[in-house]
Amino acid sequence: MNIRIRLCFLLALISGPSLFGADFSMRVTDKNYLETQGFSVFLYDSTYHPVFVDQKNTAMEMILHGARIATNGDVRLMPTPEQWDLVATLKNRQADKANNRLTADLAFPTFNLSYTLEVTAELGGVKVSINLDKPLPEKLAGRAGFNLEFLPSIYMGKAYLVDGTKAGIFPRTPNDSMVKVLPLSDEPKKAYYLEDWDKAKGYTQPLPFAQGKSITLGVDDTLARVNVQSDTADLMLFDGRDRAQNGWFVLRSLIPAGKTTGAIVWHIRPDVIPNWTRPPMIAHSQVGYAPDLSKVAVLELDPKYSGPKTAKVLRLMEDGSYKQVFEGPITPSTPWLRYVYSKFDFTSVKDSGLYVIEYADQRTAPFPIAKDAYANIWQDSLDHHIAEQMDHVSVREGYRVWHGASHLDDGRLAPVVGEQFDGWNQATATDGKYKGGDHIPGINVGGWYDAGDFDLEEPAQLSVIQNLALAYRTFHLNYDELTVNEATREVEMHRPDGVPDTVQQVKHGALLILAQFHNIGHAIRGTHEPDLRQYTHLGDGASKTDGRIYDPKLGLDEAKGDYSGKPDDRWIFSSNNPFFQWNAIASLAAAADTLKGWDDAMAKDCLETAIKAWNEEKAHPTQNPTAGGLGGAAPAGAPGGGVLAASQGVVSGVQGIHKAQGGSGAPASSAAASTQTAPPAGSGRGGFGVGQDWAAALELTIATHGAEPYKARLKELFPQMIMPEQMGFRGWTAVRALPYLDASEKDQLREAVKVYMADLDKQLVATPFGVPPSLGTWGGSGAVVDMAIRMYFLHLAFPDLVSGDYTMRAVNYILGTHPVSSTSYVAGVGTVSKTKTYSNNRADNAYIPGAVIPGYIIIKPDFPECIDDFGFLWFEDEAVVAGSASWVVAGNAADAITKESR
């Protein structure tokens, strides 16, 4: 008996709260999550997305030592569910401060399954319970279980222990046995494209690679060590990457049959470091600073951190030693979200050289102070990312072929299939002489892949054309490092051919838009994959389709010349929305002005096509603004999703409408100041109210040197464009019309800018960084790039009202002066930059130089996140072609401002 008592006592010590020697207690905070110093648990502060579903940021989530280690804690019907698989419906949630408990009431209505997910504080961690309203339906036995997903980049290569003795290492490469798990006979019918996708993948699921009653994850990692014990069914560890490269490690227990209360009971005990505080983060520009411009770093500090009141600047000497050259005060801390912030101004350091900033025990990587610090921040975006995204051509860099000539089988008019994945839809099965399924000739030219996916997003195409045309004309951008041969469909990097790269890229985009007008008669909504197998494709775009035009008379595996029986050709989504038509007119006019002297025949074609479309639209205005839908758009309020920045002559950095996880993206941030995904609802004919033809009027006025009727329309719209509600959206582009305005109109614009600046300064104090905050579903770097562009043009026109500091602040933000980390958001640019991005090579854990990521988002309610070493969260990492084009403008603007100070 005594031996038995002693054994029970020893087992209690092993399994009890003191497993890691930290008997901490958690409490429900005023923000309604459970917390102790160093560990937080959220429960359904965010919900599954209505379009993209699983984004890895909802249900039960855990933050340990400043990192979100786990997410998606809830009942699921698969061991490793994919993005579109069935999720529970959240009915309500509660935070019980008296009992330090979080609860969520959920259901799978189709299966008549209702339950409560309960997370309760207990000594040394939390207790997680699943309480069913009634026993599990028989058909769900062996299918329904509680899942909690752990971030692979934290745990792969780290050790785990099962039941204290069975050891293992989290795999870097998934290699588990797969089994077929067929859908239930009465499972809710999925959309046709999901059914096809499941069939294509064979309904497979991995087997667990570890199983037991107690599992300790990250045994060898003091910052990520956590133990989970189950009082009920066994714990099983699965590798979600067996099914898709974006999968996470999944910890799962099956719900036992016959159980209700306490059907699942887990005890989660993290090894929390006592009195842990997050180390200071020194946010600064990773490319350095110009000698005579402002230099301000921002310190992101744990609220409980107590550090020095000064910071230092050290110069890196030639022998590798560091010499202190400046010490100055940091400002009093300002709270924002989870952390507090102080600023460190070292503007007085002006001598050219290499420097680091030192605060407490943290030291930055080296950065230069130099007159040309900003001279090389945009070239990678133009000659690597945008070049790599070119469709319908092959792209080579030295020994490497980025991709072959892709999608030569474009394209077929999309049939009416109802809602397509990613929100796309086709409202009508005809367009002129074409009907759904018909091949439309001549569309297999020009354009750029949108993002990590291979869509040709119309808003993104128009954005890139207008931004690169603007960069070329504003900055006389004769930079040439590409050879582009449209006739042979070949592009080669690092090989000048005598034509400016911006001109060649504008031509590449214009080829696609001209093809639409010449072969269809108008601009379209976009070109999109027909199925999820293509949509989730990673790697060479030329291997996505067979490059042969679909012929239904041929067998599936039959090919004859340029034709085949394989229906893999991309779908063309048509549109009668004037939003696309007017902005296509603007893009062709901008292209015409850019191509003059380089390709006069094409410049003439662009201008004549734009004028013809203008006349037709004025004579017969589009009456159905929603035909064809805005597919792929993010929900209202989400930054980005592909809205053209307000039909404004320059489409300022809109980062495209993107797609879904696995092989495509989701709406990343837009640089449009409005952060709308589509024209504002209810704002008049065409869906975006007054001045929908403003951009077209502006670009045609410029391209025709002030010809009528474009100049007259420009002047007619001018008073509306400079109203306060329009100035930050598209009205600011009126500065480009200054040569065509009279003195009184210039005075009106000047007064409008005064009003705008007074309001803007009030808005920009919302964050410690003095730029628009990222408050939406996708990171907000695009809005910051838009600010850089907008403020530069206002500065050019009214330097006494708008200083260059606004543009430099925005550019420095993108380059590292932002929350979470000081990693440059431009891949490969700066000493420390993002090197794992949501691009089409992300399966290689790699990046495309010059790609601009969306940046941090707020994991609700208060946790800012942008994970450096993981490239599969599209809302933080997705790099879109339009974002790179806007960065080319912003980067040149920053360099131009530094030249003003020399």
Side-chain angles (χ1 to χ4, degrees):
M1 179 66 72
N2 288 338
I3 293 174
R4 188 174 179 183
I5 291 173
R6 283 197 296 270
L7 283 174
C8 290
F9 177 70
L10 287 171
L11 287 172
L13 286 177
I14 294 170
S15 62
S18 59
L19 177 68
F20 295 129
D23 290 341
F24 59 84
S25 297
M26 303 186 75
R27 63 179 183 84
V28 173
T29 69
D30 291 339
K31 294 183 178 179
N32 293 332
Y33 59 83
L34 279 164
E35 184 175 49
T36 190
Q37 188 170 341
F39 181 55
S40 305
V41 179
F42 299 169
L43 185 62
Y44 272 109
D45 287 279
S46 298
T47 56
Y48 290 103
H49 195 282
V51 175
F52 307 109
V53 194
D54 179 8
Q55 297 181 218
K56 309 295 184 187
N57 66 342
T58 190
M60 177 185 168
E61 304 186 88
M62 302 194 307
I63 297 167
L64 179 60
H65 298 136
R68 187 166 63 107
I69 65 167
T71 190
N72 282 9
D74 201 353
V75 172
R76 301 299 297 269
L77 304 184
M78 290 288 184
T80 58
E82 207 170 4
Q83 174 180 335
W84 304 277
D85 284 331
L86 191 64
V87 295
T89 300
L90 177 67
K91 297 189 289 186
N92 57 71
R93 67 187 187 108
Q94 305 86 29
D96 180 355
K97 288 187 176 181
N99 294 296
N100 290 315
R101 178 171 56 212
L102 306 175
T103 56
D105 296 321
L106 301 120
F108 286 92
T110 306
F111 295 108
N112 194 26
L113 173 64
S114 296
Y115 62 95
T116 297
L117 167 56
E118 182 179 289
V119 184
T120 306
E122 62 180 8
L123 200 62
V126 294
K127 174 184 174 182
V128 180
S129 306
I130 296 293
N131 303 307
L132 277 60
D133 291 355
K134 55 186 178 182
L136 190 70
E138 184 178 350
K139 68 184 71 173
L140 293 184
R143 295 292 292 269
F146 181 75
N147 289 16
L148 183 60
E149 303 187 26
F150 288 82
L151 183 64
S153 62
I154 290 179
Y155 288 98
M156 64 182 180
K158 302 289 176 60
Y160 65 85
L161 277 174
V162 179
D163 296 331
T165 58
K166 291 178 285 186
I169 303 295
F170 280 97
R172 292 194 175 276
T173 303
N175 57 6
D176 302 295
S177 298
M178 304 292 286
V179 295
K180 183 172 287 190
V181 181
L182 293 172
L184 299 169
S185 58
D186 56 350
E187 196 165 314
K189 185 172 177 57
K190 294 182 178 180
Y192 81 93
Y193 53 84
L194 291 175
E195 295 281 359
D196 290 345
W197 177 233
D198 286 344
K199 289 178 184 176
K201 295 192 74 174
Y203 303 101
T204 55
Q205 289 284 328
L207 292 175
F209 63 86
Q211 184 168 344
K213 285 293 186 182
S214 171
I215 296 181
T216 301
L217 299 82
V219 178
D220 51 337
D221 188 339
T222 57
L223 294 178
R225 188 182 301 122
V226 59
N227 173 263
V228 182
Q229 297 181 32
S230 174
D231 288 352
T232 49
D234 274 1
L235 299 165
M236 297 176 285
L237 264 175
F238 295 86
D239 195 336
R241 299 171 304 162
D242 281 304
R243 298 192 70 217
Q245 281 86 352
N246 60 4
W248 291 34
F249 294 121
V250 181
L251 190 63
R252 173 175 170 87
S253 284
L254 288 170
I255 297 175
K259 289 270 192 175
T260 52
T261 302
I264 294 288
V265 177
W266 285 7
H267 302 277
I268 300 177
R269 299 187 175 100
D271 190 5
V272 178
I273 298 171
N275 302 313
W276 179 86
T277 57
R278 183 173 179 264
M281 190 279 290
I282 308 171
H284 65 289
S285 166
Q286 291 290 342
V287 305
Y289 301 86
D292 296 319
L293 296 182
S294 174
K295 306 173 192 69
V296 179
V298 179
L299 307 178
E300 184 176 76
L301 305 172
D302 190 302
K304 295 184 181 297
Y305 178 81
S306 178
K309 303 303 180 185
T310 63
K312 301 172 184 177
V313 176
L314 311 180
R315 184 167 185 170
L316 178 57
M317 308 306 289
E318 195 169 7
D319 63 358
S321 63
Y322 290 89
K323 176 183 177 182
Q324 181 176 321
V325 297
F326 178 76
E327 182 172 6
I330 64 171
T331 62
S333 61
T334 301
W336 184 63
L337 299 174
R338 175 168 282 232
Y339 304 117
V340 298
Y341 296 83
S342 295
K343 294 181 180 180
F344 172 53
D345 191 324
F346 59 104
T347 303
S348 61
V349 180
K350 298 179 182 293
D351 291 342
S352 295
L354 287 171
Y355 296 89
V356 299
I357 302 169
E358 187 174 86
Y359 177 72
D361 58 351
Q362 300 296 308
R363 181 181 285 181
T364 69
F367 58 84
I369 292 179
K371 291 180 179 179
D372 62 351
Y374 298 89
N376 300 310
I377 64 175
W378 55 269
Q379 287 90 334
D380 282 353
S381 296
L382 176 64
D383 284 340
H384 277 88
H385 189 233
I386 294 176
E388 186 278 338
Q389 299 291 100
M390 295 172 76
D391 200 357
H392 302 119
V393 293
S394 65
V395 181
R396 183 182 182 111
E397 180 184 15
Y399 299 163
R400 175 177 189 167
V401 175
W402 280 94
H403 62 78
S406 50
H407 305 108
L408 300 185
D409 42 13
D410 280 342
R412 300 171 67 201
L413 183 66
V416 175
V417 292
E419 186 74 11
Q420 180 77 334
F421 49 90
D422 203 18
W424 288 71
N425 63 78
Q426 180 80 343
T428 177
T430 61
D431 193 324
K433 63 183 179 180
Y434 302 108
K435 63 181 185 299
D438 284 354
H439 174 74
I440 300 179
I443 306 296
N444 60 348
V445 293
W448 303 272
Y449 309 146
D450 176 38
D453 53 74
F454 298 88
D455 288 347
L456 295 184
E457 278 289 352
E458 191 79 354
Q461 311 303 306
L462 305 180
S463 171
V464 174
I465 293 168
Q466 293 185 48
N467 268 315
L468 294 184
L470 181 73
Y472 173 73
R473 292 177 290 173
T474 302
F475 303 108
H476 311 291
L477 209 57
N478 291 315
Y479 185 80
D480 176 22
E481 285 295 322
L482 291 178
T483 288
V484 179
N485 190 326
E486 296 286 357
T488 60
R489 299 183 183 271
E490 293 177 309
V491 174
E492 185 142 1
M493 299 178 181
H494 312 302
R495 183 176 291 183
D497 63 359
V499 183
D501 298 337
T502 42
V503 172
Q504 290 174 314
Q505 293 292 357
V506 167
K507 177 177 179 177
H508 190 70
L511 283 169
L512 177 69
I513 309 306
L514 284 173
Q516 295 169 11
F517 279 93
H518 292 339
N519 294 285
I520 303 174
H522 55 79
I524 65 173
R525 167 64 193 86
T527 305
H528 186 50
E529 286 88 352
D531 55 55
L532 281 177
R533 190 165 184 84
Q534 282 196 45
Y535 185 67
T536 55
H537 179 91
L538 298 178
D540 187 346
S543 64
K544 243 173 102 266
T545 70
D546 64 4
R548 292 184 168 95
I549 297 168
Y550 172 62
D551 183 348
K553 297 176 184 177
L554 298 175
L556 183 63
D557 297 320
E558 187 179 0
K560 187 179 293 184
D562 292 334
Y563 297 85
S564 80
K566 186 173 292 186
D568 60 355
D569 309 16
R570 287 188 301 186
W571 287 358
I572 294 169
F573 284 75
S574 187
S575 175
N576 291 326
N577 195 324
F579 173 74
F580 301 110
Q581 188 79 345
W582 282 119
N583 281 285
I585 293 169
S587 297
L588 289 175
D593 198 43
T594 301
L595 293 173
K596 288 177 184 175
W598 297 105
D599 190 333
D600 290 330
M602 187 169 174
K604 183 173 181 288
D605 191 3
C606 286
L607 188 57
E608 289 178 350
T609 302
I611 290 172
K612 181 175 182 286
W614 169 284
N615 292 335
E616 290 175 349
E617 190 66 21
K618 289 297 183 182
H620 304 288
T622 301
Q623 299 299 318
N624 185 3
T626 59
L630 282 174
V643 68
L644 290 172
S647 57
Q648 59 186 10
V650 53
V651 185
S652 315
V654 62
Q655 298 204 3
I657 303 172
H658 323 22
K659 268 59 78 196
Q661 189 173 356
S664 313
S669 60
S670 167
S674 66
T675 66
Q676 299 174 92
T677 53
S683 54
R685 185 185 71 79
F688 55 108
V690 296
Q692 58 183 325
D693 55 340
W694 166 258
L698 177 61
E699 290 294 355
L700 279 168
T701 299
I702 294 171
T704 61
H705 306 289
E708 301 296 355
Y710 321 114
K711 179 180 174 181
R713 181 58 175 161
L714 190 73
K715 293 170 78 68
E716 181 184 358
L717 291 172
F718 174 78
Q720 303 169 62
M721 293 301 102
I722 64 171
M723 296 292 287
E725 61 271 19
Q726 291 284 351
M727 275 301 296
F729 181 39
R730 54 183 171 175
W732 63 270
T733 62
V735 301
R736 299 185 60 221
L738 282 173
Y740 310 100
L741 302 177
D742 57 35
S744 65
E745 290 166 325
K746 292 176 183 177
D747 289 341
Q748 292 174 44
L749 181 54
R750 182 179 182 83
E751 292 305 309
V753 171
K754 286 182 181 179
V755 174
Y756 170 66
M757 291 303 298
D759 183 59
L760 179 68
D761 285 335
K762 295 176 183 177
Q763 296 177 28
L764 294 183
V765 298
T767 79
F769 299 91
V771 299
S774 179
L775 300 176
T777 312
W778 280 269
S781 70
V784 180
V785 175
D786 178 68
M787 172 183 162
I789 297 170
R790 179 172 69 247
M791 304 313 288
Y792 175 72
F793 282 93
L794 291 176
H795 168 69
L796 273 186
F798 304 106
D800 58 321
L801 300 180
V802 183
S803 76
D805 288 345
Y806 291 92
T807 291
M808 299 309 299
R809 184 195 309 163
V811 167
N812 286 339
Y813 171 95
I814 298 296
L815 294 170
T817 315
H818 49 61
V820 185
S821 76
S822 189
T823 300
S824 168
Y825 286 163
V826 188
V829 174
T831 312
V832 179
S833 73
K834 180 71 173 175
T835 55
K836 293 185 180 179
T837 63
Y838 198 94
S839 301
N840 55 51
N841 64 339
R842 62 190 174 278
D844 303 321
N845 285 311
Y847 68 100
I848 302 167
V852 183
I853 66 168
Y856 84 93
I857 71 160
I858 299 169
I859 303 296
K860 296 178 181 178
D862 70 348
F863 181 68
E865 176 185 89
C866 187
I867 301 172
D868 280 345
D869 60 354
F870 192 65
F872 288 96
L873 295 178
W874 68 76
F875 44 81
E876 298 174 7
D877 303 323
E878 184 168 29
V880 296
V881 64
S884 288
S886 62
W887 179 247
V888 172
V889 183
N892 275 279
D895 190 39
I897 288 172
T898 65
K899 291 173 181 175
E900 293 176 5
S901 65
R902 296 180 190 174

